[in-house]
């Protein structure tokens, strides 16, 4: 079976920009004692003045959380409902992620991520089904913020590297991205009071603006609008339906004023 690496990488657990002890529910912006979330994306179209939800356009992802709010299993099924991949997450006695193991639809292990913790570093090592080393991610923190992340090839050479800068309040203000050790992109960020990014401008290594993005949020931190100042850029708007815990269970996306995508989530809670 051929494994889509891009899909697998979506399951890899990174600690993001902050090393503060947030659990996965907090990182995923979920409220309450969530037990599981099932999530899928559908096409949305307008027909005769009505919005119609058509065929699924993404895999369905089912995520199971433990009572401490951390992921313990993720199951990916295709648009027909057939099993594609399963990932299981294991933690040590302090609650730190220890292993993330990926299995094929036939239950065969195809990749394992092992996490180790040393002072201000988190090291994530990837091994294939034969146990061979295939890559490594190294994250360095300062005052709880991710200041440097490095992705290494199997031969130990640097594949990608990111260096971040933060203000005195711990908000991300700058990110420098390297291909190997060569800078190819620099991004500047502006944040609101809730640390949500509201403006992101990225430059090439020669200083040319390559993207200029703006985001609006509601008071819960859900995105309401996204647009770019670039020529011929699309504008996106989002509408939500919430459950009793104020978690969204439906999200309708409009692209340039027209229905574009429909996100549906089914959320189960611990009693």
């Amino acid at each position: 079976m051929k494994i889509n690496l891009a899909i697998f990488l979506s399951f890899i657990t990174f600690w993001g920009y902050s090393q503060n002890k947030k659990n996965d529910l907090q990182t995923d912006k979920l409220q309450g004692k969530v037990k599981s979330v099932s999530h899928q994306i559908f096409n949305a179209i307008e027909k005769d003045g009505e919005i119609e939800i058509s065929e699924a356009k993404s895999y369905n992802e089912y995520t199971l959380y433990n009572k401490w709010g951390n992921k313990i299993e993720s199951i990916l099924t295709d648009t027909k409902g057939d099993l594609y991949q399963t990932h299981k997450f294991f933690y040590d006695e302090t609650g730190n992620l220890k292993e993330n193991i990926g299995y094929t639809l036939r239950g065969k292990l195809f990749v394992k991520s092992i996490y180790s913790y040393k002072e201000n570093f988190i090291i994530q090592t990837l091994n294939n089904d034969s146990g061979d080393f295939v890559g490594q991610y190294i994250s360095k923190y300062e005052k709880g913020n991710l200041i440097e992340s490095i992705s290494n090839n199997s031969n130990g050479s640097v594949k990608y590297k990111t260096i971040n800068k933060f203000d005195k309040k711990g908000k991300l203000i700058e990110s420098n991205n390297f291909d190997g050790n060569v800078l190819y992109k620099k991004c500047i960020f502006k944040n609101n009071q809730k640390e949500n990014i509201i403006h992101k401008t990225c430059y090439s290594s020669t200083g040319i603006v390559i993207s200029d993005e703006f985001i609006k949020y509601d008071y819960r931190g859900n995105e309401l609008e996204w647009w770019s100042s670039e020529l011929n850029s699309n504008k996106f708007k989002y509408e939500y339906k919430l459950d009793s815990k104020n978690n969204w269970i439906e999200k309708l996306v409009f692209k340039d004023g027209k229905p574009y995508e429909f996100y549906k989530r089914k959320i189960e809670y611990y009693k």
Side-chain angles (χ1 to χ4, degrees):
M1 176 186 178
K2 184 177 180 181
I3 299 299
N4 188 321
L5 182 59
I7 293 176
F8 163 71
L9 290 174
S10 70
F11 283 93
I12 294 179
T13 299
F14 297 99
W15 280 53
Y17 291 114
S18 174
Q19 197 186 21
N20 297 328
K21 292 291 287 186
K22 286 185 177 181
N23 60 29
D24 289 328
L25 289 181
Q26 292 170 313
T27 301
D28 295 341
K29 296 183 178 181
L30 289 166
Q31 309 295 321
K33 298 179 180 180
V34 174
K35 182 178 181 180
S36 66
V37 176
S38 180
H39 174 262
Q40 193 165 18
I41 308 172
F42 301 81
N43 286 309
I45 59 174
E46 186 174 353
K47 187 175 181 180
D48 299 327
E50 300 289 335
I51 297 175
E52 292 189 0
I53 308 304
S54 57
E55 72 278 1
K57 64 181 296 184
S58 77
Y59 289 91
N60 182 75
E61 182 179 348
Y62 171 84
T63 302
L64 181 65
Y65 299 85
N66 61 23
K67 291 186 177 181
W68 293 273
N70 289 315
K71 297 177 182 178
I72 54 176
E73 187 174 35
S74 288
I75 300 172
L76 199 66
T77 54
D78 62 23
T79 55
K80 297 179 181 179
D82 296 326
L83 181 64
Y84 184 75
Q85 287 182 20
T86 299
H87 285 254
K88 294 186 178 182
F89 305 87
F90 302 90
Y91 300 84
D92 63 20
E93 62 277 2
T94 64
N96 287 323
L97 181 62
K98 183 172 63 175
E99 291 182 348
N100 170 5
I101 303 176
Y103 300 88
T104 68
L105 61 87
R106 296 181 177 86
K108 179 183 178 182
L109 184 152
F110 73 90
V111 69
K112 176 190 281 190
S113 287
I114 300 173
Y115 298 80
S116 60
Y117 304 83
K118 297 180 180 179
E119 296 180 349
N120 293 327
F121 292 87
I122 297 176
I123 301 172
Q124 178 187 359
T125 303
L126 274 69
N127 299 301
N128 62 19
D129 57 347
S130 299
D132 299 324
F133 173 76
V134 294
Q136 187 179 65
Y137 296 93
I138 302 174
S139 303
K140 182 180 179 181
Y141 293 84
E142 184 178 273
K143 297 180 180 179
N145 295 314
L146 177 62
I147 61 172
E148 185 175 5
S149 60
I150 299 173
S151 173
N152 290 328
N153 294 304
S154 58
N155 62 6
S157 62
V158 175
K159 185 176 182 180
Y160 299 112
K161 179 170 64 174
T162 301
I163 298 176
N164 299 316
K165 294 182 180 179
F166 298 81
D167 64 15
K168 293 180 180 179
K169 295 182 179 180
K171 296 180 180 179
L172 179 69
I173 57 174
E174 184 178 315
S175 180
N176 295 276
N177 301 278
F178 299 80
D179 186 352
N181 290 305
V182 179
L183 177 69
Y184 72 91
K185 185 172 69 174
K186 175 181 180 178
C187 297
I188 304 298
F189 302 89
K190 290 183 180 180
N191 305 268
N192 62 17
Q193 293 299 318
K194 293 186 177 181
E195 299 186 13
N196 294 313
I197 295 170
I198 59 174
H199 188 195
K200 174 183 176 182
T201 306
C202 294
Y203 304 85
S204 69
S205 59
T206 58
I208 298 174
V209 175
I210 55 178
S211 65
D212 190 30
E213 305 170 12
F214 298 83
I215 306 173
K216 282 187 177 181
Y217 302 84
D218 63 18
Y219 69 93
R220 295 185 179 90
N222 295 315
E223 288 188 21
L224 292 177
E225 296 182 23
W226 179 99
W227 73 97
S228 173
S229 62
E230 301 166 64
L231 184 66
N232 299 322
S233 176
N234 302 114
K235 184 173 184 177
F236 295 88
K237 290 187 176 182
Y238 311 92
E239 294 181 358
Y240 300 89
K241 179 180 178 181
L242 308 179
D243 66 8
S244 60
K245 304 292 185 181
N246 288 323
N247 293 313
W248 68 262
I249 52 176
E250 293 181 2
K251 179 169 73 170
L252 183 60
V253 182
F254 294 86
K255 180 180 179 182
D256 299 328
K258 297 181 180 180
Y260 176 61
E261 289 179 335
F262 178 73
Y263 290 66
K264 188 172 184 178
R265 293 200 304 195
K266 182 178 180 182
I267 303 176
E268 182 184 5
Y269 296 89
Y270 283 102
K271 297 180 180 180

